[in-house]
Amino acid sequence: MQLDPEEMTPVINRIKRAQGQLAGVLRMLEEGRECEDVVTQLAAVSKALDRAGFAIVASGLQQCLANGADEFDVKKMEKLFLSLA
């Protein structure tokens, strides 16, 4: 299933933000920052990536519904969703 690049703009922005946060986590580790601060930022990166994944799956499910997809396509999307859960 092809993703619509225009619909993915918010997802792309979220992933770019997560990329910046991850770079910050690496800097924090290199600087020897407090464990709590590093883990807090790492959790934020993880959550941002999870939300991006869920947004992609949601878009795919909407396409399935709009295009009258067969049960196989819906099952594939369900599997992708569960891989993120």
Side-chain angles (χ1 to χ4, degrees):
M1 175 172 307
Q2 293 281 331
L3 297 171
D4 180 356
E6 287 184 20
E7 286 184 24
M8 291 296 107
T9 299
V11 175
I12 292 167
N13 290 338
R14 184 182 301 275
I15 292 173
K16 286 180 179 180
R17 207 170 20 242
Q19 185 178 30
Q21 288 175 307
L22 188 55
V25 169
L26 288 171
R27 264 192 316 278
M28 293 171 77
L29 288 169
E30 292 169 348
E31 294 169 357
R33 297 278 297 271
E34 291 289 326
C35 175
E36 183 179 355
D37 296 338
V38 174
V39 171
T40 298
Q41 286 304 308
L42 198 54
V45 172
S46 178
K47 184 173 182 174
L49 292 175
D50 286 345
R51 290 178 60 94
F54 286 127
I56 291 169
V57 171
S59 177
L61 285 172
Q62 287 174 342
Q63 285 183 20
C64 281
L65 293 173
N67 298 333
D70 61 20
E71 186 176 337
F72 178 72
D73 285 335
V74 173
K75 288 289 185 190
K76 285 194 317 188
M77 295 307 300
E78 179 183 1
K79 185 176 179 180
L80 288 173
F81 173 79
L82 291 173
S83 73
L84 293 170

